[in-house]
Amino acid sequence: MAETASGCSSEELAGVAGVNAAQVRKDLSYLGSHGTRGVGYDIDELRVQIRKALGMLNDHPVVIIGAGNLGTALANYGGFENWGFEIEAIVDVDEDKIGMRVDGLVIESLHRLPQIVKAKSIKIGIIATPPAAAQSAADRLVEAGVKSILNLAPTTLKTHEDVSVRRVDLSTELGILAYHLNRP
Amino acid sequence: MAETASGCSSEELAGVAGVNAAQVRKDLSYLGSHGTRGVGYDIDELRVQIRKALGMLNDHPVVIIGAGNLGTALANYGGFENWGFEIEAIVDVDEDKIGMRVDGLVIESLHRLPQIVKAKSIKIGIIATPPAAAQSAADRLVEAGVKSILNLAPTTLKTHEDVSVRRVDLSTELGILAYHLNRP
DNA sequence: TAGATTGTTAATCGATTAACAATC
DNA sequence: TAGATTGTTAATCGATTAACAATC
């Protein structure tokens, strides 16, 4: 049982995570040794150590490209703040949308992307454009100095190799679900 | 080189996929033996065999819960059709939205979910509600007979164990990108 | 001190790859 | 037949787990 309010054994952690306790200890040992023999791990300290190891101690400003339904949904998405991601700007090509507000953010012109990225030291961009515009959006992000791109459009992007790109492919997710429908 | 228009060696396939050729042959052997020694694999036949193995020969009807920005974006999302997923219905609790059109689909009442699921033999649901409504949406989907759920809300759902749930967690995706920012 | 739990080493397990006989 | 490439077995590699001395 927990010795202190936030003490926790590898056994308990493993139970919650659904993995082996030895696995937990081995993985945590990569952070250095932050457990106490006979007692367990201090959860609060662990939190900080893990965030530090993952480079997530400080906040990361993010820009969204595309203020359509998807971009708007993302701007309102509640899941980012807890993890230190802050939507700092949302841009669009459509001049009619510029100046409109989305969740407290003013939609800005795609043309201002370089200035915005520089002024706010943005390293991460999210592409929420139609597929046809995604590659061009990626090019502009890279040009502006963004180093990491989350692509929500169903397209494969070509970028310089030192830019990290991740694609969220909802078809693949559905595919995995469909597979399990047959083999339960 | 390709013997026929659609012949392809494991070496070529491995090159495109960025994996080992032996891996390709081993994996493909699980489908049964569909290559020809000395020649390679017939791409068109392979396509069919893989889709068959994954249970994706026939189309899968899908229902979206939530006709907000996210649900609307999904209904317009172009990436599903190629993979045999068809958005058959979109429902919402908001009575004001019911009857409005989204990409050729009429928004229906959440109350009609059981009838819709039954009539169209829907097995897959996508949750595009605000996080606070996600659990209730999941409950209704399961109640209506849906067996697979793709959860786009930043919440962990509790469901009966024979229901498959996948969560698309954009924070995790951003987290991985942020990690690579530090360790290139 | 006795009990508990870590950190780490050694054993196990599974997945990847190399190699090659089968065969087109 | 000679060359090419599969399908599969055996070898390698890495990841997971069990076990236990260290130590709180």
Side-chain angles (χ1 to χ4, degrees), chain A residues 50-78:
Chain A
I50 292 173
R51 294 199 87 194
K52 186 188 283 182
L54 298 177
M56 289 175 71
L57 276 184
N58 40 305
D59 280 12
H60 290 282
V62 174
V63 59
I64 296 173
I65 316 267
N69 282 310
L70 186 53
T72 305
L74 286 173
N76 291 306
Y77 184 73

Side-chain angles (χ1 to χ4, degrees), chain B residues 89-159:
Chain B
I90 179 165
V91 304
D92 202 291
V93 266
D94 184 352
E95 296 291 331
D96 292 345
K97 284 185 184 156
I98 291 160
M100 290 173 65
R101 284 182 164 277
V102 181
D103 193 41
L105 236 52
V106 176
I107 301 172
E108 299 192 67
S109 167
L110 180 56
H111 295 111
R112 298 219 336 106
L113 190 65
Q115 294 91 303
I116 296 166
V117 165
K118 197 169 181 205
K120 311 223 169 180
S121 304
I122 293 174
K123 301 275 191 307
I124 301 178
I126 305 182
I127 294 179
T129 65
Q135 181 62 56
S136 146
D139 295 342
R140 280 159 179 270
L141 280 169
V142 173
E143 178 100 355
V146 164
K147 288 277 171 283
S148 299
I149 296 175
L150 183 59
N151 178 25
L152 298 179
T155 339
T156 304
L157 300 176
K158 291 192 225 329
T159 56

Side-chain angles (χ1 to χ4, degrees), chain B residues 32-90:
Chain B
S33 299
H34 297 291
T36 310
R37 288 167 200 235
V39 178
Y41 297 89
D42 181 286
I43 289 294
D44 290 329
E45 199 198 324
L46 217 49
R47 265 217 171 74
V48 176
Q49 294 301 335
I50 291 173
R51 294 199 85 195
K52 186 189 283 180
L54 297 177
M56 291 175 70
L57 276 183
N58 39 305
D59 281 10
H60 291 280
V62 174
V63 60
I64 295 174
I65 317 267
N69 281 308
L70 186 53
T72 306
L74 287 173
N76 291 306
Y77 184 73
F80 292 142
E81 289 78 6
N82 299 333
W83 295 94
F85 298 104
E86 179 94 35
I87 311 295
E88 287 282 355
I90 179 165

Side-chain angles (χ1 to χ4, degrees), chain B residues 16-38:
Chain B
V16 179
V19 297
N20 185 289
Q23 186 79 268
V24 170
R25 293 201 295 279
K26 193 142 223 268
D27 288 355
L28 290 182
S29 76
Y30 283 106
L31 308 177
S33 299
H34 297 291
T36 310
R37 288 167 200 235

